[in-house]
């Protein structure tokens, strides 16, 4: 795991050892953040050295959409994470600020505060603070493009008096308000605020609104949670994601799954350009394993899978109904490495439409348009 991750070792140390810049002292300082949690949602777990405050979230939002965070000033975090698409980009694979196409599909950020790990297949990225360093300074692939030029980025931010004042307000105890550590913590705070829980499903289940789901969606919900389809084994709980953590959980879990998407040699081998978790662990059993994303707002986050190879939700259902892509390509031959829950099923045309209707019911349109999460630099 070292070659891809080693470039961030010193930066991670900067973020985690810069203690004391997380928040306010008791009785004074920035106003604590008001979560306004949806019904049925537990209180998120937040790092002790980066408590949520209104000032940090506001600063993080501003930085998230600031193109100065890309070395050539062409992109922001929001370029690959668009609010209207539940913070995805609609592309098979994103394109970085230098024009380099990435190998993995952009994941959504809805309810990312509850996730136990970040990116598709990296068990070492377990905090949003450390993850923020990847697009900023990563070289494989180039995203925002600062690489080893951290000082150049900080000088750029420090040259803006208004932005410096916002950093000082968010981090009043930091000896140097504008730093890699405070930048990462502000971005992480904004991302933690991106909570989605007002979909028709939520109004039906938590709001006791019997009219919130159509008859088709209710039938689809029964199928989704049935042992026949097995969907909820990897997409479980209030966030439809097995890797979920909050204040009431004890030990966070870090599951990764092989869905049988590829089986190039009959032994379960994935394409060399992206073999999954095995790339970092070196363990043969981790071939083709990736993190299961949350299904919140899934109807607007296509294309799907780690490489964006399935265009529609209908294609995704076909993939699982066939017991994995290998069954379609290799005439019924399942990968020996795929999850035991990917075993195939049969749906009538109506049942398939019902499941799709249920997945559509996870779309929170208020979240997709909430001004609290929008681009502050956008012209009306």
């Amino acid at each position: 795991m070292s070659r891809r991750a080693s470039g961030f070792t010193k930066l991670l140390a900067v973020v985690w050892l810069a203690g004391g810049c997380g928040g306010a002292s008791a009785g004074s300082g920035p106003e604590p953040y008001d979560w306004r949690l949806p019904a049925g949602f537990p209180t998120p777990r937040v790092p002790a050295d980066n408590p949520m405050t209104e000032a940090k979230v506001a600063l993080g939002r501003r930085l998230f959409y600031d193109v100065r965070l890309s070395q050539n000033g062409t992109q922001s975090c929001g370029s690959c994470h668009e609010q209207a698409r539940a913070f995805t980009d609609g592309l098979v694979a994103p394109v970085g600020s230098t024009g380099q196409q990435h190998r993995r599909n952009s994941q959504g950020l809805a309810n990312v505060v509850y996730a136990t790990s970040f990116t598709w297949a990296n068990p070492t990225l377990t905090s949003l603070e450390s993850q923020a360093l990847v697009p900023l300074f990563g070289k494989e692939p180039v995203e925002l493009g600062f690489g080893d030029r951290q000082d150049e980025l900080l000088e750029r931010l420090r040259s803006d008096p208004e932005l410096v004042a916002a950093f000082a307000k968010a981090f009043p105890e930091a000896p140097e308000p504008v730093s890699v550590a405070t930048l990462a913590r502000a971005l992480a705070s904004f991302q933690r605020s991106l909570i989605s829980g007002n979909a028709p499903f939520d109004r039906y289940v938590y709001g006791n609104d019997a009219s919130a789901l159509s008859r088709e969606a209710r039938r689809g919900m029964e199928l989704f949670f049935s042992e026949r389809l097995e969907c909820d084994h990897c997409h479980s709980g209030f966030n439809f994601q097995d890797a979920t953590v909050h204040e009431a959980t004890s030990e966070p879990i870090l599951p990764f799954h092989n869905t049988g998407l590829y089986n190039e040699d009959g032994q379960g081998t994935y394409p060399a350009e992206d073999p999954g978790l095995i790339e970092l662990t070196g363990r043969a059993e981790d071939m083709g394993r990736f993190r299961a994303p949350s299904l919140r707002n899934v109807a607007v986050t296509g294309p799907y899978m780690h490489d964006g190879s399935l265009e529609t939700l209908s294609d995704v259902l076909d993939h699982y109904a066939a017991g994995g892509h290998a069954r379609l390509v290799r005439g019924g031959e399942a990968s020996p490495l795929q999850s035991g829950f990917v075993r195939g099923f049969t749906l009538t045309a109506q049942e398939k439409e019902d499941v799709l209707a249920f997945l559509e019911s996870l779309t929170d349109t208020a979240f997709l348009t909430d001004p609290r999460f929008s681009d502050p630099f956008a012209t009306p």
Side-chain angles (χ1 to χ4, degrees):
M1 116 173 189
S2 45
R3 189 169 71 88
R4 290 185 180 274
S6 61
F8 299 102
T9 304
K10 291 183 179 179
L11 285 172
L12 288 171
V14 167
V15 170
W16 292 115
L17 295 179
C21 70
S25 57
S28 64
E31 177 185 358
Y33 182 71
D34 180 6
W35 287 105
R36 289 185 266 178
L37 294 173
F41 276 50
T43 302
R45 181 181 294 183
V46 175
D49 64 352
N50 192 23
M52 291 283 284
T53 67
E54 296 287 349
K56 263 189 272 188
V57 171
L59 172 61
R61 175 191 172 206
R62 178 174 178 170
L63 292 167
F64 185 88
Y65 289 105
D66 195 332
V67 295
R68 290 177 294 183
L69 263 62
S70 60
Q71 198 279 329
N72 57 13
T74 62
Q75 289 186 331
S76 69
C77 303
S79 298
C80 293
H81 298 284
E82 303 170 18
Q83 183 182 8
R85 299 178 186 272
F87 294 94
T88 60
D89 61 5
L91 302 175
V92 169
V95 177
S97 60
T98 60
Q100 180 181 358
Q101 186 171 31
H102 301 177
R103 61 180 179 162
R104 290 179 179 165
N105 184 255
S106 291
Q107 290 195 353
L109 299 181
N111 300 335
V112 72
V113 65
Y114 295 110
T116 58
S117 68
F118 306 95
T119 75
W120 280 101
N122 191 337
T124 69
L125 287 176
T126 57
S127 79
L128 285 167
E129 286 80 1
S130 58
Q131 190 281 327
L133 304 179
V134 177
L136 283 169
F137 304 112
K139 299 177 182 178
E140 298 179 27
V142 173
E143 295 182 64
L144 296 176
F146 272 97
D148 297 323
R149 293 174 287 190
Q150 298 95 333
D151 290 341
E152 180 182 337
L153 170 59
L154 295 178
E155 288 172 10
R156 183 181 295 185
L157 300 179
R158 289 168 184 164
S159 68
D160 182 339
E162 185 179 338
L163 188 59
V164 171
F167 268 96
K169 181 180 179 181
F171 301 98
E173 297 181 5
E176 171 49 71
V178 183
S179 67
V180 170
T182 55
L183 171 60
R185 286 173 169 155
L187 287 169
S189 294
F190 173 64
Q191 290 178 76
R192 289 192 175 102
S193 76
L194 301 176
I195 291 181
S196 173
N198 190 33
F201 166 82
D202 300 296
R203 297 196 294 275
Y204 179 79
V205 173
Y206 302 116
N208 298 314
D209 181 358
S211 65
L213 288 189
S214 66
R215 182 179 303 174
E216 291 79 9
R218 292 197 298 271
R219 291 196 302 257
M221 181 170 65
E222 290 183 10
L223 286 165
F224 181 92
F225 289 108
S226 71
E227 289 301 308
R228 179 176 158 199
L229 267 63
E230 308 276 18
C231 304
D232 64 319
H233 286 284
C234 296
H235 299 287
S236 55
F238 71 96
N239 200 33
F240 293 87
Q241 183 176 32
D242 55 358
T244 298
V245 65
H246 49 81
E247 277 197 348
T249 52
S250 51
E251 289 295 323
I253 59 172
L254 297 169
F256 297 88
H257 312 279
N258 183 317
T259 64
L261 189 63
Y262 295 101
N263 183 12
E264 292 196 329
D265 56 0
Q267 300 301 310
T269 298
Y270 267 50
E273 58 266 24
D274 196 356
L277 189 61
I278 188 176
E279 187 173 62
L280 298 184
T281 67
R283 299 182 304 203
E285 63 268 28
D286 287 335
M287 171 67 71
R289 287 187 178 177
F290 294 89
R291 186 182 75 146
S294 168
L295 295 187
R296 290 281 177 177
N297 301 291
V298 67
V300 301
T301 63
Y304 303 97
M305 314 307 278
H306 71 279
D307 57 356
S309 59
L310 299 183
E311 184 177 355
T312 67
L313 283 176
S314 178
D315 295 334
V316 174
L317 279 183
D318 289 344
H319 161 75
Y320 287 112
H325 191 265
R327 291 183 181 271
L328 299 176
V329 176
R330 301 183 63 86
E333 190 175 330
S335 165
L337 299 177
Q338 71 188 48
S339 167
F341 294 118
V342 183
R343 59 191 187 191
F345 49 80
T346 300
L347 291 176
T348 67
Q350 183 59 61
E351 286 175 328
K352 182 177 180 180
E353 290 304 313
D354 292 345
V355 176
L356 291 173
F358 171 66
L359 294 175
E360 289 276 358
S361 81
L362 302 180
T363 303
D364 179 356
T365 55
F367 173 76
L368 305 181
T369 57
D370 194 324
R372 293 177 300 160
F373 311 139
S374 66
D375 183 352
F377 302 108
T379 53

